[in-house]
Amino acid sequence: LTTEAGVAALVHLQECEEQLEMSREAFEKQSNLIGEKRAKAHLEQAAAEVLVAEQKAVELKEACRVWAESDLVAEELKEATEKSLRLEREVNKALGEARKVIACRQIEAKNKNTPQSLVNGLEQLQNRLVQVQSEVGNQRKLYAIVEQRMKGRKIQQE
């Protein structure tokens, strides 16, 4: 490699190695950007599912306010009950969908080099789902209390 051709070949080899390194770095940078965009899109999708469940839970809570009235007649109670049960089914369905999406994304996050922001975001969404589930449970308890109160009234009237 002491000849002129050998030196030229060595210089060319070094240039190729530098180009290869620059290309590898550019590829890594692009790959990281794509991963971040994918993570953001997955997080937005999961957040949208959680938001749907939260909105349905608010609707349920609004429907359950009718039960706080102590002077409900049987027909009003029946309508309020039917509406609340329908809304509760919708909330539970939305919760199930949100759980599925989050679980899928969490599994994907474990299998790949995903940004920590995705893992943290999914955890926060999971916590929001727990809060929604708790709220639905509270509304269910309220329904049970009202149902008992109405049964007590019916017995008193007889």
Side-chain angles (χ1 to χ4, degrees), residues 32-48:
N32 288 340
L33 285 173
I34 290 170
E36 289 173 10
K37 287 182 180 182
R38 181 180 293 129
K40 183 179 177 184
H42 288 318
L43 193 57
E44 287 173 355
Q45 178 193 19

Side-chain angles (χ1 to χ4, degrees), residues 22-84:
M22 289 181 357
S23 296
R24 188 190 60 73
E25 289 174 3
F27 175 77
E28 266 187 44
K29 184 178 178 181
Q30 288 298 319
S31 181
N32 288 340
L33 285 173
I34 290 170
E36 289 173 10
K37 287 182 180 182
R38 181 180 293 129
K40 183 179 177 184
H42 288 318
L43 193 57
E44 287 173 355
Q45 178 193 19
E49 293 290 335
V50 171
L51 185 60
V52 167
E54 289 173 333
Q55 290 170 340
K56 295 212 179 274
V58 168
E59 290 177 25
L60 176 63
K61 189 174 184 177
E62 291 295 321
C64 290
R65 286 188 184 181
V66 172
W67 293 348
E69 299 174 14
S70 59
D71 57 343
L72 287 176
V73 294
E75 188 62 33
E76 291 173 332
L77 180 64
K78 182 180 177 184
E79 289 175 18
T81 301
E82 288 173 357
K83 182 177 181 181
S84 296

Side-chain angles (χ1 to χ4, degrees), residues 4 6 14 34-35 40 45 49 61-63 72 74 78 84 86 90 92 95 101 113 118-119 134-135 142 144 146 154:
E4 191 176 306
Q14 288 173 346
I34 290 170
K40 183 179 177 184
Q45 178 193 19
E49 293 290 335
K61 189 174 184 177
E62 291 295 321
L72 287 176
K78 182 180 177 184
S84 296
R86 179 182 51 80
E90 290 177 12
N92 287 332
L95 282 169
V101 169
N113 290 336
L118 176 63
V119 175
S134 173
E135 184 64 36
L142 175 62
V146 170
K154 190 174 184 179

